[in-house]
Amino acid sequence: EDKVVQSPLSLVVHEGDTVTLNCSYEVTNFRSLLWYKQEKKAPTFLFMLTSSGIEKKSGRLSSILDKKELFSILNITATQTGDSAVYLCAVDLLWGKFQFGAGTQVVVTP
Amino acid sequence: GAVVSQHPSRVICKSGTSVKIECRSLDFQATTMFWYRQFPKQSLMLMATSNEGSKATYEQGVEKDKFLINHASLTLSTLTVTSAHPEDSSFYICSARDGKETQYFGPGTRLLVL
């Protein structure tokens, strides 16, 4: 059975803190790993990772994949209240079929 | 980034009626679209994969006769919830895959069945 596990399930931080979100996976077919941010509506795309060790960055967000140890991390530096959301990790299994993790709820307090 | 729209954004219906949800890729062609369901405080669960011009592929436990999917063109897929019941109340989200194999999600449709 394909599994994607995210940790922690939730966390609360103060503005300016750095957060690290974890995503581990155990799947039969792996094409890529994706991170999404979900606020009140549908998820918005953050990153797609296919190769190990190559960090992807977008502003204060960055992510990296380790295909040997089967995990990825998403870092958010200098957090802002607008970063409060559920962050979803998904593995593209094959032909675009995604297995989602349960998500990590991040709350950034002023 | 690519834009995917869904209509309606919210629908309330009586038990026993059917509801149709449209998913459109606005600025790209999507040979494959996906339909997800999300219950409160849970993650997205894939319901089915919709391929243009062919029958949809349903995930285990999803009734194909209850959730009818039609992918009539490269930019439109529809999900019809037939004979809806209160337990079908959920957030339904579609996604469409572009040529770079990135999936973009629609804004979702919140269905409430009374």
Side-chain angles (χ1 to χ4, degrees):
Chain A
E1 185 184 343
D2 297 318
K3 286 192 297 188
V4 177
V5 178
Q6 289 186 245
S7 64
L9 288 180
S10 66
L11 72 161
V12 181
V13 298
H14 293 297
E15 266 191 317
D17 288 351
T18 294
V19 299
T20 298
L21 310 181
N22 302 291
C23 175
S24 63
Y25 60 92
E26 196 176 315
V27 300
T28 48
N29 293 294
F30 176 92
R31 297 191 72 208
S32 63
L33 184 144
L34 300 95
W35 285 97
Y36 289 86
K37 177 182 181 182
Q38 186 175 27
E39 295 172 270
K40 290 186 178 177
K41 291 193 172 179
T44 53
F45 172 78
L46 295 176
F47 299 110
M48 180 169 72
L49 304 159
T50 54
S51 303
S52 279
I54 300 173
E55 185 183 49
K56 292 217 172 177
K57 292 195 74 171
S58 176
R60 296 177 292 103
L61 276 66
S62 63
S63 184
I64 197 161
L65 173 67
D66 185 328
K67 291 171 74 173
K68 184 180 176 185
E69 300 297 327
L70 308 183
F71 77 92
S72 173
I73 60 172
L74 174 70
N75 279 319
I76 310 173
T77 59
T79 51
Q80 302 171 358
T81 54
D83 295 325
S84 296
V86 174
Y87 290 84
L88 295 168
C89 166
V91 173
D92 184 346
L93 303 175
L94 198 62
W95 307 118
K97 180 177 173 180
F98 281 13
Q99 180 77 35
F100 276 90
T104 294
Q105 178 154 33
V106 174
V107 175
V108 181
T109 61
Chain B
V3 178
V4 176
S5 71
Q6 267 184 255
H7 177 80
S9 59
R10 186 174 298 194
V11 58
I12 301 173
C13 69
K14 291 183 179 179
S15 186
T17 60
S18 294
V19 175
K20 181 188 278 189
I21 303 170
E22 290 186 351
C23 175
R24 292 180 186 272
S25 57
L26 297 184
D27 50 1
F28 66 99
Q29 292 184 331
T31 53
T32 305
M33 291 184 173
F34 304 88
W35 287 96
Y36 294 85
R37 182 166 51 183
Q38 186 177 34
F39 291 106
K41 298 195 177 181
Q42 293 188 26
S43 192
L44 282 76
M45 297 298 295
L46 179 65
M47 298 176 66
T49 302
S50 169
N51 294 297
E52 187 265 338
S54 64
K55 290 183 180 179
T57 304
Y58 291 81
E59 294 302 299
Q60 195 171 9
V62 178
E63 298 174 58
K64 63 179 181 180
D65 294 330
K66 181 166 182 66
F67 299 100
L68 301 178
I69 290 172
N70 184 286
H71 196 149
S73 75
L74 288 172
T75 59
L76 173 64
S77 176
T78 60
L79 167 68
T80 301
V81 183
T82 62
S83 187
H85 288 97
E87 57 266 29
D88 298 324
S89 299
S90 188
F91 190 49
Y92 291 86
I93 308 175
C94 73
S95 70
R97 191 169 62 161
D98 69 2
K100 297 179 183 176
E101 301 188 357
T102 300
Q103 280 193 36
Y104 295 91
F105 287 86
T109 296
R110 201 164 292 281
L111 170 64
L112 177 61
V113 184
L114 303 176

PDB file of all heavy atoms in Angstrom, chain B residues 82-106:
ATOM      1  N   THR B  82     -24.939  11.608  -8.507  1.00  0.00           N
ATOM      2  CA  THR B  82     -26.321  11.210  -8.738  1.00  0.00           C
ATOM      3  C   THR B  82     -26.981  10.798  -7.431  1.00  0.00           C
ATOM      4  O   THR B  82     -26.342  10.230  -6.545  1.00  0.00           O
ATOM      5  CB  THR B  82     -26.391  10.042  -9.727  1.00  0.00           C
ATOM      6  OG1 THR B  82     -25.697   8.920  -9.163  1.00  0.00           O
ATOM      7  CG2 THR B  82     -25.758  10.408 -11.058  1.00  0.00           C
ATOM      8  N   SER B  83     -28.261  11.124  -7.321  1.00  0.00           N
ATOM      9  CA  SER B  83     -29.039  10.778  -6.133  1.00  0.00           C
ATOM     10  C   SER B  83     -28.239  11.076  -4.871  1.00  0.00           C
ATOM     11  O   SER B  83     -27.933  10.180  -4.068  1.00  0.00           O
ATOM     12  CB  SER B  83     -29.436   9.297  -6.173  1.00  0.00           C
ATOM     13  OG  SER B  83     -30.318   8.991  -5.115  1.00  0.00           O
ATOM     14  N   ALA B  84     -27.884  12.338  -4.736  1.00  0.00           N
ATOM     15  CA  ALA B  84     -27.012  12.739  -3.628  1.00  0.00           C
ATOM     16  C   ALA B  84     -27.684  12.519  -2.273  1.00  0.00           C
ATOM     17  O   ALA B  84     -28.901  12.694  -2.128  1.00  0.00           O
ATOM     18  CB  ALA B  84     -26.640  14.204  -3.789  1.00  0.00           C
ATOM     19  N   HIS B  85     -26.872  12.122  -1.295  1.00  0.00           N
ATOM     20  CA  HIS B  85     -27.339  11.951   0.075  1.00  0.00           C
ATOM     21  C   HIS B  85     -26.458  12.774   1.014  1.00  0.00           C
ATOM     22  O   HIS B  85     -25.360  13.188   0.620  1.00  0.00           O
ATOM     23  CB  HIS B  85     -27.300  10.470   0.460  1.00  0.00           C
ATOM     24  CG  HIS B  85     -28.354   9.663  -0.223  1.00  0.00           C
ATOM     25  ND1 HIS B  85     -28.125   8.939  -1.366  1.00  0.00           N
ATOM     26  CD2 HIS B  85     -29.672   9.491   0.060  1.00  0.00           C
ATOM     27  CE1 HIS B  85     -29.244   8.353  -1.752  1.00  0.00           C
ATOM     28  NE2 HIS B  85     -30.193   8.672  -0.911  1.00  0.00           N
ATOM     29  N   PRO B  86     -26.925  13.014   2.219  1.00  0.00           N
ATOM     30  CA  PRO B  86     -26.136  13.854   3.146  1.00  0.00           C
ATOM     31  C   PRO B  86     -24.688  13.403   3.314  1.00  0.00           C
ATOM     32  O   PRO B  86     -23.803  14.250   3.467  1.00  0.00           O
ATOM     33  CB  PRO B  86     -26.927  13.746   4.456  1.00  0.00           C
ATOM     34  CG  PRO B  86     -28.339  13.563   4.006  1.00  0.00           C
ATOM     35  CD  PRO B  86     -28.248  12.696   2.782  1.00  0.00           C
ATOM     36  N   GLU B  87     -24.440  12.111   3.250  1.00  0.00           N
ATOM     37  CA  GLU B  87     -23.051  11.654   3.417  1.00  0.00           C
ATOM     38  C   GLU B  87     -22.162  12.012   2.225  1.00  0.00           C
ATOM     39  O   GLU B  87     -20.925  11.854   2.299  1.00  0.00           O
ATOM     40  CB  GLU B  87     -23.010  10.134   3.655  1.00  0.00           C
ATOM     41  CG  GLU B  87     -23.655   9.303   2.566  1.00  0.00           C
ATOM     42  CD  GLU B  87     -25.099   8.961   2.863  1.00  0.00           C
ATOM     43  OE1 GLU B  87     -25.781   9.756   3.557  1.00  0.00           O
ATOM     44  OE2 GLU B  87     -25.558   7.886   2.400  1.00  0.00           O
ATOM     45  N   ASP B  88     -22.768  12.482   1.127  1.00  0.00           N
ATOM     46  CA  ASP B  88     -21.982  12.947  -0.019  1.00  0.00           C
ATOM     47  C   ASP B  88     -21.531  14.392   0.160  1.00  0.00           C
ATOM     48  O   ASP B  88     -20.757  14.907  -0.657  1.00  0.00           O
ATOM     49  CB  ASP B  88     -22.805  12.839  -1.312  1.00  0.00           C
ATOM     50  CG  ASP B  88     -23.187  11.407  -1.632  1.00  0.00           C
ATOM     51  OD1 ASP B  88     -22.364  10.498  -1.368  1.00  0.00           O
ATOM     52  OD2 ASP B  88     -24.319  11.192  -2.111  1.00  0.00           O
ATOM     53  N   SER B  89     -22.021  15.033   1.200  1.00  0.00           N
ATOM     54  CA  SER B  89     -21.606  16.412   1.469  1.00  0.00           C
ATOM     55  C   SER B  89     -20.098  16.436   1.688  1.00  0.00           C
ATOM     56  O   SER B  89     -19.577  15.719   2.543  1.00  0.00           O
ATOM     57  CB  SER B  89     -22.331  16.955   2.700  1.00  0.00           C
ATOM     58  OG  SER B  89     -23.729  16.965   2.501  1.00  0.00           O
ATOM     59  N   SER B  90     -19.428  17.266   0.930  1.00  0.00           N
ATOM     60  CA  SER B  90     -17.967  17.288   0.988  1.00  0.00           C
ATOM     61  C   SER B  90     -17.454  18.435   0.133  1.00  0.00           C
ATOM     62  O   SER B  90     -18.224  19.181  -0.461  1.00  0.00           O
ATOM     63  CB  SER B  90     -17.406  15.955   0.471  1.00  0.00           C
ATOM     64  OG  SER B  90     -16.008  15.872   0.673  1.00  0.00           O
ATOM     65  N   PHE B  91     -16.158  18.557   0.105  1.00  0.00           N
ATOM     66  CA  PHE B  91     -15.481  19.535  -0.750  1.00  0.00           C
ATOM     67  C   PHE B  91     -14.908  18.747  -1.920  1.00  0.00           C
ATOM     68  O   PHE B  91     -14.077  17.856  -1.715  1.00  0.00           O
ATOM     69  CB  PHE B  91     -14.385  20.225   0.064  1.00  0.00           C
ATOM     70  CG  PHE B  91     -13.753  21.419  -0.602  1.00  0.00           C
ATOM     71  CD1 PHE B  91     -14.527  22.416  -1.155  1.00  0.00           C
ATOM     72  CD2 PHE B  91     -12.376  21.557  -0.632  1.00  0.00           C
ATOM     73  CE1 PHE B  91     -13.956  23.533  -1.745  1.00  0.00           C
ATOM     74  CE2 PHE B  91     -11.787  22.677  -1.217  1.00  0.00           C
ATOM     75  CZ  PHE B  91     -12.577  23.659  -1.767  1.00  0.00           C
ATOM     76  N   TYR B  92     -15.360  19.047  -3.128  1.00  0.00           N
ATOM     77  CA  TYR B  92     -14.914  18.329  -4.314  1.00  0.00           C
ATOM     78  C   TYR B  92     -13.965  19.225  -5.096  1.00  0.00           C
ATOM     79  O   TYR B  92     -14.281  20.371  -5.413  1.00  0.00           O
ATOM     80  CB  TYR B  92     -16.116  17.929  -5.183  1.00  0.00           C
ATOM     81  CG  TYR B  92     -16.977  16.871  -4.534  1.00  0.00           C
ATOM     82  CD1 TYR B  92     -17.994  17.226  -3.649  1.00  0.00           C
ATOM     83  CD2 TYR B  92     -16.755  15.516  -4.771  1.00  0.00           C
ATOM     84  CE1 TYR B  92     -18.781  16.256  -3.033  1.00  0.00           C
ATOM     85  CE2 TYR B  92     -17.523  14.548  -4.156  1.00  0.00           C
ATOM     86  CZ  TYR B  92     -18.535  14.927  -3.288  1.00  0.00           C
ATOM     87  OH  TYR B  92     -19.293  13.963  -2.672  1.00  0.00           O
ATOM     88  N   ILE B  93     -12.790  18.691  -5.382  1.00  0.00           N
ATOM     89  CA  ILE B  93     -11.758  19.474  -6.060  1.00  0.00           C
ATOM     90  C   ILE B  93     -11.302  18.727  -7.304  1.00  0.00           C
ATOM     91  O   ILE B  93     -11.064  17.519  -7.253  1.00  0.00           O
ATOM     92  CB  ILE B  93     -10.532  19.696  -5.164  1.00  0.00           C
ATOM     93  CG1 ILE B  93     -10.938  20.272  -3.817  1.00  0.00           C
ATOM     94  CG2 ILE B  93      -9.515  20.610  -5.832  1.00  0.00           C
ATOM     95  CD1 ILE B  93      -9.777  20.386  -2.847  1.00  0.00           C
ATOM     96  N   CYS B  94     -11.162  19.451  -8.397  1.00  0.00           N
ATOM     97  CA  CYS B  94     -10.608  18.838  -9.587  1.00  0.00           C
ATOM     98  C   CYS B  94      -9.198  19.374  -9.800  1.00  0.00           C
ATOM     99  O   CYS B  94      -8.830  20.424  -9.270  1.00  0.00           O
ATOM    100  CB  CYS B  94     -11.462  19.123 -10.818  1.00  0.00           C
ATOM    101  SG  CYS B  94     -11.332  20.803 -11.426  1.00  0.00           S
ATOM    102  N   SER B  95      -8.420  18.637 -10.533  1.00  0.00           N
ATOM    103  CA  SER B  95      -7.116  19.136 -10.944  1.00  0.00           C
ATOM    104  C   SER B  95      -6.887  18.736 -12.385  1.00  0.00           C
ATOM    105  O   SER B  95      -7.479  17.782 -12.889  1.00  0.00           O
ATOM    106  CB  SER B  95      -5.997  18.594 -10.052  1.00  0.00           C
ATOM    107  OG  SER B  95      -5.799  17.219 -10.286  1.00  0.00           O
ATOM    108  N   ALA B  96      -6.041  19.484 -13.035  1.00  0.00           N
ATOM    109  CA  ALA B  96      -5.734  19.222 -14.439  1.00  0.00           C
ATOM    110  C   ALA B  96      -4.229  19.218 -14.612  1.00  0.00           C
ATOM    111  O   ALA B  96      -3.518  20.024 -14.000  1.00  0.00           O
ATOM    112  CB  ALA B  96      -6.370  20.286 -15.331  1.00  0.00           C
ATOM    113  N   ARG B  97      -3.768  18.313 -15.444  1.00  0.00           N
ATOM    114  CA  ARG B  97      -2.332  18.184 -15.638  1.00  0.00           C
ATOM    115  C   ARG B  97      -1.928  18.845 -16.938  1.00  0.00           C
ATOM    116  O   ARG B  97      -2.529  18.584 -17.970  1.00  0.00           O
ATOM    117  CB  ARG B  97      -1.940  16.708 -15.641  1.00  0.00           C
ATOM    118  CG  ARG B  97      -0.466  16.449 -15.563  1.00  0.00           C
ATOM    119  CD  ARG B  97      -0.174  15.009 -15.317  1.00  0.00           C
ATOM    120  NE  ARG B  97      -0.659  14.154 -16.387  1.00  0.00           N
ATOM    121  CZ  ARG B  97      -0.235  12.911 -16.608  1.00  0.00           C
ATOM    122  NH1 ARG B  97       0.676  12.406 -15.815  1.00  0.00           N
ATOM    123  NH2 ARG B  97      -0.745  12.196 -17.568  1.00  0.00           N
ATOM    124  N   ASP B  98      -0.903  19.702 -16.858  1.00  0.00           N
ATOM    125  CA  ASP B  98      -0.461  20.382 -18.071  1.00  0.00           C
ATOM    126  C   ASP B  98       0.619  19.565 -18.778  1.00  0.00           C
ATOM    127  O   ASP B  98       0.948  18.451 -18.361  1.00  0.00           O
ATOM    128  CB  ASP B  98       0.037  21.791 -17.737  1.00  0.00           C
ATOM    129  CG  ASP B  98       1.337  21.782 -16.931  1.00  0.00           C
ATOM    130  OD1 ASP B  98       1.882  20.691 -16.665  1.00  0.00           O
ATOM    131  OD2 ASP B  98       1.794  22.865 -16.560  1.00  0.00           O
ATOM    132  N   GLY B  99       1.179  20.153 -19.820  1.00  0.00           N
ATOM    133  CA  GLY B  99       2.168  19.427 -20.604  1.00  0.00           C
ATOM    134  C   GLY B  99       3.458  19.135 -19.854  1.00  0.00           C
ATOM    135  O   GLY B  99       4.210  18.237 -20.218  1.00  0.00           O
ATOM    136  N   LYS B 100       3.695  19.875 -18.763  1.00  0.00           N
ATOM    137  CA  LYS B 100       4.898  19.645 -17.964  1.00  0.00           C
ATOM    138  C   LYS B 100       4.622  18.688 -16.824  1.00  0.00           C
ATOM    139  O   LYS B 100       5.447  18.525 -15.939  1.00  0.00           O
ATOM    140  CB  LYS B 100       5.422  20.981 -17.410  1.00  0.00           C
ATOM    141  CG  LYS B 100       5.843  21.953 -18.492  1.00  0.00           C
ATOM    142  CD  LYS B 100       6.323  23.261 -17.884  1.00  0.00           C
ATOM    143  CE  LYS B 100       6.672  24.245 -18.972  1.00  0.00           C
ATOM    144  NZ  LYS B 100       7.064  25.567 -18.416  1.00  0.00           N
ATOM    145  N   GLU B 101       3.451  18.105 -16.831  1.00  0.00           N
ATOM    146  CA  GLU B 101       3.047  17.108 -15.837  1.00  0.00           C
ATOM    147  C   GLU B 101       2.934  17.681 -14.431  1.00  0.00           C
ATOM    148  O   GLU B 101       3.079  16.947 -13.457  1.00  0.00           O
ATOM    149  CB  GLU B 101       3.996  15.909 -15.865  1.00  0.00           C
ATOM    150  CG  GLU B 101       4.007  15.246 -17.236  1.00  0.00           C
ATOM    151  CD  GLU B 101       4.783  13.940 -17.276  1.00  0.00           C
ATOM    152  OE1 GLU B 101       5.372  13.566 -16.257  1.00  0.00           O
ATOM    153  OE2 GLU B 101       4.784  13.306 -18.335  1.00  0.00           O
ATOM    154  N   THR B 102       2.686  18.972 -14.345  1.00  0.00           N
ATOM    155  CA  THR B 102       2.349  19.566 -13.051  1.00  0.00           C
ATOM    156  C   THR B 102       0.838  19.626 -12.954  1.00  0.00           C
ATOM    157  O   THR B 102       0.160  19.930 -13.933  1.00  0.00           O
ATOM    158  CB  THR B 102       2.922  20.982 -12.941  1.00  0.00           C
ATOM    159  OG1 THR B 102       4.337  20.903 -13.077  1.00  0.00           O
ATOM    160  CG2 THR B 102       2.587  21.607 -11.601  1.00  0.00           C
ATOM    161  N   GLN B 103       0.315  19.340 -11.775  1.00  0.00           N
ATOM    162  CA  GLN B 103      -1.126  19.411 -11.591  1.00  0.00           C
ATOM    163  C   GLN B 103      -1.509  20.736 -10.978  1.00  0.00           C
ATOM    164  O   GLN B 103      -0.865  21.200 -10.036  1.00  0.00           O
ATOM    165  CB  GLN B 103      -1.605  18.270 -10.689  1.00  0.00           C
ATOM    166  CG  GLN B 103      -1.738  16.952 -11.408  1.00  0.00           C
ATOM    167  CD  GLN B 103      -2.503  15.931 -10.595  1.00  0.00           C
ATOM    168  OE1 GLN B 103      -3.452  16.269  -9.886  1.00  0.00           O
ATOM    169  NE2 GLN B 103      -2.096  14.688 -10.689  1.00  0.00           N
ATOM    170  N   TYR B 104      -2.559  21.322 -11.516  1.00  0.00           N
ATOM    171  CA  TYR B 104      -3.101  22.554 -10.972  1.00  0.00           C
ATOM    172  C   TYR B 104      -4.526  22.281 -10.527  1.00  0.00           C
ATOM    173  O   TYR B 104      -5.306  21.644 -11.234  1.00  0.00           O
ATOM    174  CB  TYR B 104      -3.055  23.670 -12.013  1.00  0.00           C
ATOM    175  CG  TYR B 104      -1.642  24.035 -12.387  1.00  0.00           C
ATOM    176  CD1 TYR B 104      -1.006  23.415 -13.453  1.00  0.00           C
ATOM    177  CD2 TYR B 104      -0.926  24.970 -11.638  1.00  0.00           C
ATOM    178  CE1 TYR B 104       0.304  23.720 -13.786  1.00  0.00           C
ATOM    179  CE2 TYR B 104       0.389  25.279 -11.963  1.00  0.00           C
ATOM    180  CZ  TYR B 104       0.996  24.654 -13.036  1.00  0.00           C
ATOM    181  OH  TYR B 104       2.294  24.953 -13.350  1.00  0.00           O
ATOM    182  N   PHE B 105      -4.835  22.793  -9.347  1.00  0.00           N
ATOM    183  CA  PHE B 105      -6.135  22.511  -8.762  1.00  0.00           C
ATOM    184  C   PHE B 105      -7.139  23.612  -9.051  1.00  0.00           C
ATOM    185  O   PHE B 105      -6.793  24.792  -9.125  1.00  0.00           O
ATOM    186  CB  PHE B 105      -6.002  22.329  -7.248  1.00  0.00           C
ATOM    187  CG  PHE B 105      -5.354  21.036  -6.861  1.00  0.00           C
ATOM    188  CD1 PHE B 105      -3.978  20.927  -6.784  1.00  0.00           C
ATOM    189  CD2 PHE B 105      -6.118  19.910  -6.593  1.00  0.00           C
ATOM    190  CE1 PHE B 105      -3.371  19.730  -6.448  1.00  0.00           C
ATOM    191  CE2 PHE B 105      -5.527  18.713  -6.251  1.00  0.00           C
ATOM    192  CZ  PHE B 105      -4.153  18.625  -6.180  1.00  0.00           C
ATOM    193  N   GLY B 106      -8.375  23.200  -9.192  1.00  0.00           N
ATOM    194  CA  GLY B 106      -9.462  24.158  -9.253  1.00  0.00           C
ATOM    195  C   GLY B 106      -9.749  24.687  -7.862  1.00  0.00           C
ATOM    196  O   GLY B 106      -9.215  24.180  -6.871  1.00  0.00           O
TER     197      GLY B 106
END
